[in-house]
């Protein structure tokens, strides 16, 4: 357990946003594009962006590389060859770097999984979302239950054992029994990492429009809490550690890349809509392929940025740290943000400690099991406004 967090503290990360999807999922608000005509210009721009922005994280070695999306498994062998050549030419990549590919289960056919072994991928994260046909149809997913199960089996067959799957709960009309069945199937697959997210009705998505039209109704709060409680209990019984609010893993299999976000480490984000952080500011690329490509081709990336003042950095530290099983350290607060903000945090935390929602264990402030269910309110109370 300690080894995981120590590794995350020492790393810098590289995130590559692959914006292509064969079709849009009902709920997705991430930037993506179904026009594959942009793929070659995107690859060329991505490599040029690496060359232009490699200094953003200083000279730190990359200990994580994460291909997210979109659907990175829409890339082919030629694409991966170009991207990895540039990465290893421009960055110092740690020998044991965690290198993750997000994938759709239906892309993970034998030929595709086999070709992945020609590249340094050692972790795969698959958006399974559900094992029920009616859920997958509703969410506009491309795969079915059998493809999801087969994809996991193929990864293991080809030596990729560090596998994560995503599940979604809180779907309209979803029952407790259906959610329990999803969890039982996920546990039977014996993957070392699982992420589970409540369905969110993001403005602008097809799902949000259905809700506005009265065609779907979100589940009520009591049922949402029940789903989350069942998730925590079943995965704990199966030996998973609840190391972040939405993430569960067997010991030694925490997502090192995502842990960099939660522990405030540097990362460079490449591709349209990708975000970067170096401890001083945030930068992000436009959510438009044509604008992104044009800026890179002209040698002047269209990047927005935000300088982070002391209070903003403190607020980020609280929000990200309290999401994890490691919580936040009073010593770190004083060192990073000063005595005034430490005193403020302690004062704001005390009522929640008294109610058993926050636990103070030595120098650490950690959400209790009951506190996890009201974490948004607790974090809000500790923020400097």
């Amino acid at each position: 357990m300690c080894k995981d967090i120590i590794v995350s503290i020492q790393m810098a990360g590289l995130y590559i946003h692959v914006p292509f999807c064969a079709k849009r999922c009902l709920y997705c608000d991430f930037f993506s594009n179904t026009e594959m005509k942009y793929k070659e210009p995107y690859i060329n721009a991505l490599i040029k962006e690496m060359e232009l922005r490699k200094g953003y994280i200083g000279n730190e070695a990359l200990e994580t590389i994460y291909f997210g999306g979109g659907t990175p498994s829409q890339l082919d062998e030629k694409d991966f060859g170009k991207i990895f050549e540039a990465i290893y030419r421009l960055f110092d990549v740690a020998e044991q770097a965690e290198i993750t590919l997000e994938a759709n289960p239906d892309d993970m056919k034998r030929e595709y999984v086999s070709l992945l072994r020609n590249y340094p991928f050692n972790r795969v994260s698959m958006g399974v979302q559900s094992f029920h046909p009616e859920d997958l149809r509703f969410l506009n997913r491309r795969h079915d239950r059998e493809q999801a199960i087969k994809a996991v089996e193929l990864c293991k067959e080809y030596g990729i054992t560090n596998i994560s799957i995503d599940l979604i709960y809180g779907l309209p009309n979803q029952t407790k029994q259906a959610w329990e069945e999803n969890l039982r199937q996920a546990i039977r697959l014996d993957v070392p990492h699982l992420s589970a997210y409540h369905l969110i009705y993001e403005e602008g998505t097809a799902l949000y429009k259905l809700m506005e039209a009265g065609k779907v109704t979100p589940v009520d709060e009591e049922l949402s809490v029940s789903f989350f409680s069942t998730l925590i209990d079943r995965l704990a019984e199966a030996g998973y550690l609840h190391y972040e609010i939405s993430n569960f893993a067997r010991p030694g299999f925490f997502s090192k890349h995502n842990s960099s976000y939660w522990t405030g480490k540097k990362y460079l984000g490449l591709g349209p809509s990708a975000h970067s952080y170096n401890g001083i500011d945030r930068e992000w690329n436009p959510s438009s392929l044509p604008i992104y490509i044009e800026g890179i081709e002209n040698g002047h990336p269209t990047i927005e940025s935000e300088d982070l003042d002391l209070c903003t950095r403190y607020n980020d530290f609280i929000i990200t740290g309290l999401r994890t099983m490691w919580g936040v350290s009073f010593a770190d607060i004083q060192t990073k943000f000063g005595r005034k903000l430490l005193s403020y945090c302690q004062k704001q935390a005390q009522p929640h400690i008294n109610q058993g929602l926050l636990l103070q264990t030595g120098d650490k402030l950690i959400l209790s099991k009951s506190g996890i269910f009201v974490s948004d309110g607790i974090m809000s109370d500790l923020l400097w406004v």
Side-chain angles (χ1 to χ4, degrees), residues 356-382:
L357 301 175
L358 280 173
L359 303 176
Q360 185 175 345
T361 56
D363 177 54
K364 300 283 188 178
L365 201 60
I366 301 168
L367 288 170
S368 69
K369 185 175 179 180
S370 56
I372 290 172
F373 290 88
V374 289
S375 58
D376 287 348
I378 296 171
M379 293 173 191
S380 178
D381 287 346
L382 268 60

Side-chain angles (χ1 to χ4, degrees), residues 169-180:
Y169 60 95
L171 280 67
N173 302 316
Q174 187 176 33
T175 65
K176 293 180 183 179
Q177 180 183 357
W179 178 230
E180 289 256 21

Side-chain angles (χ1 to χ4, degrees), residues 121-270:
F121 291 111
N122 50 31
R123 186 173 186 271
V124 167
S125 178
M126 283 188 278
V128 171
Q129 316 311 1
S130 177
F131 295 99
H132 293 291
E134 62 273 21
D135 292 345
L136 296 171
R137 285 193 296 271
F138 172 74
L139 295 171
N140 202 30
R141 299 294 292 171
R142 291 189 283 131
H143 68 276
D144 58 29
R145 173 194 177 93
E146 289 69 30
Q147 286 174 314
I149 294 170
K150 183 63 174 177
V152 171
E153 293 172 347
L154 279 171
C155 285
K156 292 180 179 180
E157 180 182 336
Y158 280 87
I160 303 175
T161 56
N162 193 352
I163 303 166
S164 178
I165 64 172
D166 290 358
L167 295 177
I168 292 179
Y169 60 95
L171 280 67
N173 302 316
Q174 187 176 33
T175 65
K176 293 180 183 179
Q177 180 183 357
W179 178 230
E180 289 256 21
E181 289 171 355
N182 269 337
L183 292 173
R184 284 195 292 270
Q185 179 59 70
I187 291 166
R188 281 197 296 271
L189 287 176
D190 195 28
V191 294
H193 191 283
L194 192 147
S195 301
Y197 305 98
H198 195 288
L199 183 66
I200 298 176
Y201 292 71
E202 297 283 4
E203 191 170 354
T205 63
L207 179 63
Y208 186 86
K209 293 173 184 174
L210 287 175
M211 181 184 69
E212 281 192 314
K215 296 181 179 180
V216 296
T217 303
V219 297
D220 62 47
E221 186 175 352
E222 182 179 351
L223 190 54
S224 293
V225 170
S226 175
F227 286 145
F228 190 40
S229 180
T230 299
L231 168 71
I232 294 170
D233 292 343
R234 296 297 172 270
L235 292 183
E237 293 164 2
Y240 291 85
L241 296 174
H242 190 187
Y243 76 101
E244 194 272 344
I245 284 178
S246 301
N247 288 273
F248 304 77
R250 300 199 186 280
F253 287 93
F254 303 153
S255 170
K256 295 176 183 177
H257 184 83
N258 289 339
S259 293
S260 69
Y261 301 149
W262 305 320
T263 54
K265 302 306 147 188
K266 296 178 183 178
Y267 56 89
L268 173 62
L270 304 174

Side-chain angles (χ1 to χ4, degrees), residues 84-96:
F84 277 113
E85 184 283 326
I87 290 173
Y88 280 86
R89 171 168 50 88
L90 296 168
F91 297 94
D92 179 16
V93 181
E95 186 176 347
Q96 300 298 322

